[in-house]
Amino acid sequence: MSEAAHWIRLSSAPEAARSAAYEIRGSLCLTTLGVFAEWAGTLGFPGYFGYNWDAFEDCMFTVARPGPRGPDGEPRAPLTIVVRDAAGLLADEPPRQLATLLDVLSDVAGRCSVRRPSSPVRDPRLLLLLHDSPAHLDELARRMEQAGFTVPGPDSWDLPR
């Protein structure tokens, strides 16, 4: 992943996280199995979900895929996911697992993006807000970079200055 993602934000501002459609507890996502269980339960994956990365990607695509446009022709609101205590995401796993999670979410975000009427710009259908304290977000950003993910620049973060 060489480009910074526009579908992901890091935030320590509680008000920025309150309006989320789905809330994931990063403290329950320390391992790959924890990620699968927490995301499946929160997002309502089907009972036959296979607890592997391919099945995770399929279910995420199903949940995030674009639906019908509104009466004004605009796309419906994107799937918004807030990960609280985000520094816990796959913290007990090797960096490759975090890279896989971010690759899968990036693929889903790209596949589900939609073009606005009469605009070349594509809007993401998946927005991921990684919420934690500033110190923990710095730690998470380092882990993301170690995993080969280009972390969105601080100008896109919702950190108190």
Side-chain angles (χ1 to χ4, degrees):
M1 287 183 248
S2 58
E3 292 183 21
H6 299 288
W7 52 270
I8 188 171
R9 300 285 182 270
L10 287 83
S11 176
S12 63
E15 61 279 357
R18 264 188 250 140
S19 64
Y22 295 96
E23 189 169 307
I24 300 290
R25 295 167 292 179
S27 59
L28 298 179
C29 297
L30 302 174
T31 64
T32 304
L33 273 179
V35 166
F36 294 152
E38 177 67 2
W39 290 60
T42 301
L43 296 171
F45 290 1
Y48 56 82
F49 169 58
Y51 286 80
N52 62 64
W53 287 117
D54 288 336
F56 182 83
E57 183 170 7
D58 289 345
C59 289
M60 284 300 302
F61 178 73
T62 298
V63 172
R65 76 172 168 238
R69 293 179 181 264
D72 58 359
E74 291 295 317
R76 67 176 171 81
L79 171 67
T80 302
I81 299 171
V82 172
V83 180
R84 302 267 184 201
D85 302 319
L89 268 179
L90 297 167
D92 290 349
E93 295 280 359
R96 183 68 210 139
Q97 293 301 317
L98 181 59
T100 300
L101 173 64
L102 296 171
D103 281 341
V104 165
L105 294 175
S106 180
D107 287 348
V108 169
R111 287 173 48 204
C112 291
S113 65
V114 294
R115 193 173 307 280
R116 289 186 166 270
S118 65
S119 170
V121 177
R122 294 189 68 83
D123 288 337
R125 306 310 313 145
L126 170 66
L127 296 175
L128 183 67
L129 180 63
L130 301 173
H131 183 267
D132 215 319
S133 70
H136 287 144
L137 289 175
D138 284 344
E139 172 192 328
L140 177 60
R142 277 191 298 280
R143 289 181 44 236
M144 290 168 71
E145 288 170 354
Q146 287 173 348
F149 188 80
T150 302
V151 178
D155 58 325
S156 71
W157 297 7
D158 260 338
L159 298 175
R161 307 259 184 244

